[in-house]
Amino acid sequence: MTTYLARRLAASLVTLWAVVTVVFFLLRVAPGGPFDGERRLTPEVEANLRAAYHLDEPLVAQYARYLGMLLRGDLGPSFRSKDFTVNELIAGGLPVSLTVGGLALALAAGLGIAAGTGAALARDGPRDRWLTFAATAGLALPPIVVAPLLVLVFAVTLGWLPAGGFTTPAHAVLPAVALALPYLAAFTRLTRGSVAETLTAPHVRTALAKGLPTRRIVARHLLPPALIPVVSFLGPAAAALLAGSMVIEEVFSLPGLGRYFVQGALNRDYTLVMGTVVVYATLILVFNLAVDLLYSRLDPRIRLGRTGRGG
Amino acid sequence: MNDLFRHAALGNRWSRTCFLALCTVIVLAILVPAVSPWALDEVDWDAIDQAPAAAHWFGTDGVGRDLLTRSFSGARVSIAIALLATGVSVLIGMPYGAVAGFLGGRVDHVMMRIVDALYALPFVLFVILLIVVFGRNPYLLFIALGAVSWLDLARIVRGQTLAVRQEAYVDAARALGAGRARIVLRHVLPNVLGPAVVYATLTVPGVILAESFISFLGLGIQEPDTSWGVLIADGARTMQTSWWQLVFPATLLAVTLLACNVLGDRLRDALDRRDTVRPTPVAARDASA
């Protein structure tokens, strides 16, 4: 278990390093720089600015400097928002994104597993058909379609919920719902297929034959093995939710990580873009690791590393 | 192969409806901009920000351009980019999967570990970075989208190749002295083509979605050209006063995605009768923006 964890952590760090390296050099070969504005700077001012941010050093030296800073947890100063460091900007944006994203993931996975199980248990009945249809339709409703429509209905027309900003818990509702919807559909379909397959497994048939109460069969015998593919979808779903939140944050004017990434990309604010990418990649790698550890709890046969749990 | 597509498209009433809807969107995308009395960027000064009416069936946008023409010009762009990007993903994914599956062993292991690692990353980030770095042009957009959409295809092709590799005709070719490259090109690739085409078809809605997402953020297609993402972004800004500017393009996008997804499911079922238990990455990708 410990060996496994160490190996996985090492692999994650290598991936993170690769991401940082690719993005770093990608941004530096880009034409144009952070100081190209409408107002032309005099050569002296620009040279001083470049020196202040160490942009005049050779590329390799800049890269080494950046890696060194990263190791100390310092993401550097923002090139554009002059009074802020990237750490400060991200510290402001991350809680917003995590709140909305976490809520959306919980909604999508929770409701999706419930709906998918319900559909599979009533297989080919009317309830199954309706849920399956809703799930297929839900996949066709991406955030860029759903988010504006939700604002139009619930904020503008009905006035039940705020349309934008992020000051009260109510502000998180519409963004989370808009973000969750396609993943709710995906979780439903995935759970339905997996539960339907597990229903035919010998151990479930045995449990049914013994006359165990349905509730107990579902909770003890059916769901744990059936949820393994669902759990493995949590990783990609979380990654996609992070990306989807860029649109959501734009529509609902949330001061989150996605907005900083898009703004940074548009303004060529290298350090801000690098910082958001580092945070994104770290979040996803940590999450994927957690998901893999969850596997062994669902199916004791999946032993991680050589000395598994109880093995 | 043809049977497969026929079965998927015409199998039951629901999939026939979807097939018909998809064909309608495509035919209209070809016809409407060609026969419309309004040009893509032509301003009707008498009908600025106008609701649907006889002269403008979908209404006009904030500067008085005909929304019907723009919606279907946008359809052209969105669909064309999706098809081209899918082509790029086939060009990368097929050889990658075939080589990994055919060589097997350590090479296969390393190549598939790379695919696994790439799965973990939010690819839209990289597409956005590439666009920012190399400038916004449609060619780059579809190449970048294709370059990040080949993972599923590589996996499928690899799996098929592993099976095909065992076939007698591959042994026969080897016995006759054919080189590896020749075996892959002449014997393996043609035989994994069927599933590869199906999964390539399934890539299309995902790419339509990604393109609309990027254009929505203002990073993709630029005015006066348009795509569904651009139109929906405009519509979202003005929806409080002019609902039609959001509703028409959003409906078109949703209908197209729905039809593609339903037909894709049917295709997958036709190809593989078992219930898919594995999380089909394509379904996940369809859902992701």
Side-chain angles (χ1 to χ4, degrees), chain B:
Chain B
M1 196 68 232
N2 282 330
D3 288 347
L4 204 64
F5 277 98
R6 201 172 305 132
H7 173 81
L10 308 173
N12 65 21
R13 205 164 47 173
W14 179 218
S15 55
R16 269 198 298 276
T17 314
C18 287
F19 184 66
L20 207 67
L22 197 59
C23 290
T24 313
V25 171
I26 292 171
V27 168
L28 288 177
I30 295 168
L31 281 184
V32 170
V35 303
S36 162
W38 304 98
L40 178 63
D41 51 359
E42 189 181 340
V43 173
D44 182 353
W45 293 103
D46 299 325
I48 288 170
D49 214 4
Q50 195 195 55
H56 302 283
W57 293 356
F58 279 14
T60 60
D61 69 5
V63 291
R65 294 175 297 192
D66 182 54
L67 209 58
L68 181 72
T69 312
R70 287 184 75 71
S71 292
F72 285 103
S73 301
R76 279 186 178 185
V77 173
S78 292
I79 294 171
I81 285 184
L83 293 179
L84 289 167
T86 303
V88 172
S89 81
V90 171
L91 283 181
I92 302 173
M94 270 196 68
Y96 192 95
V99 166
F102 188 73
L103 293 181
R106 186 170 293 172
V107 179
D108 177 36
H109 184 74
V110 171
M111 285 176 87
M112 285 299 120
R113 296 295 341 173
I114 293 175
V115 169
D116 288 344
L118 292 178
Y119 257 116
L121 301 172
F123 264 116
V124 182
L125 291 187
F126 279 92
V127 175
I128 290 177
L129 281 178
L130 283 175
I131 289 166
V132 168
V133 169
F134 295 108
R136 299 169 199 176
N137 75 61
Y139 298 104
L140 178 78
L141 188 59
F142 75 73
I143 292 173
L145 285 171
V148 301
S149 311
W150 56 274
L151 298 176
D152 300 324
L153 203 63
R155 276 191 172 168
I156 298 299
V157 170
R158 170 184 172 269
Q160 294 293 320
T161 306
L162 284 177
V164 165
R165 198 171 59 155
Q166 313 290 333
E167 298 284 345
Y169 54 80
V170 173
D171 285 340
R174 194 176 288 125
L176 286 169
R180 280 178 183 172
R182 187 181 163 84
I183 294 177
V184 170
L185 282 177
R186 299 277 309 204
H187 301 284
V188 175
L189 279 181
N191 285 296
V192 302
L193 208 59
V197 169
V198 169
Y199 273 81
T201 318
L202 294 176
T203 310
V204 174
V207 182
I208 292 183
L209 199 53
E211 185 277 324
S212 65
F213 178 92
I214 287 164
S215 292
F216 183 91
L217 289 175
L219 293 162
I221 301 297
Q222 300 289 304
E223 293 276 356
D225 286 329
T226 196
S227 79
W228 284 333
V230 176
L231 290 169
I232 292 172
D234 287 347
R237 266 190 291 279
T238 56
M239 66 186 172
Q240 304 200 20
T241 49
S242 322
W243 55 269
W244 61 92
Q245 292 169 7
L246 172 66
V247 168
F248 287 117
T251 309
L252 273 178
L253 175 64
V255 166
T256 308
L257 289 177
L258 182 62
C260 284
N261 283 334
V262 169
L263 293 175
D265 283 351
R266 300 276 307 175
L267 261 180
R268 204 173 3 215
D269 287 351
L271 188 71
D272 173 27
R273 280 309 168 84
R274 288 185 329 111
D275 253 324
T276 31
V277 183
R278 305 253 93 222
T280 52
V282 177
R285 202 59 79 75
D286 293 350
S288 71

Side-chain angles (χ1 to χ4, degrees), chain A residues 16-30 53-55 57-70 75 79 270-271 273-275 277-278, chain B residues 126 129 133:
Chain A
L16 190 59
W17 167 79
V19 170
V20 168
T21 307
V22 168
V23 176
F24 183 91
F25 287 104
L26 197 61
L27 285 173
R28 299 304 152 118
V29 299
Y53 290 113
H54 306 288
L55 288 173
E57 293 176 9
L59 211 53
V60 179
Q62 291 183 36
Y63 175 62
R65 175 187 299 278
Y66 190 79
L67 283 189
M69 274 163 47
L70 261 191
L75 298 168
F79 284 170
Y270 298 153
T271 43
V273 171
M274 286 294 307
V277 170
V278 167
Chain B
F126 279 92
L129 281 178
V133 169

Side-chain angles (χ1 to χ4, degrees), chain A residues 224-259:
Chain A
L227 286 187
I228 289 176
V230 181
V231 167
S232 73
F233 179 57
L234 279 174
L241 278 175
L242 281 178
S245 75
M246 279 188 262
V247 163
I248 295 295
E249 286 168 18
E250 190 68 35
V251 173
F252 292 96
S253 10
L254 303 180
L257 214 51
R259 278 205 120 187

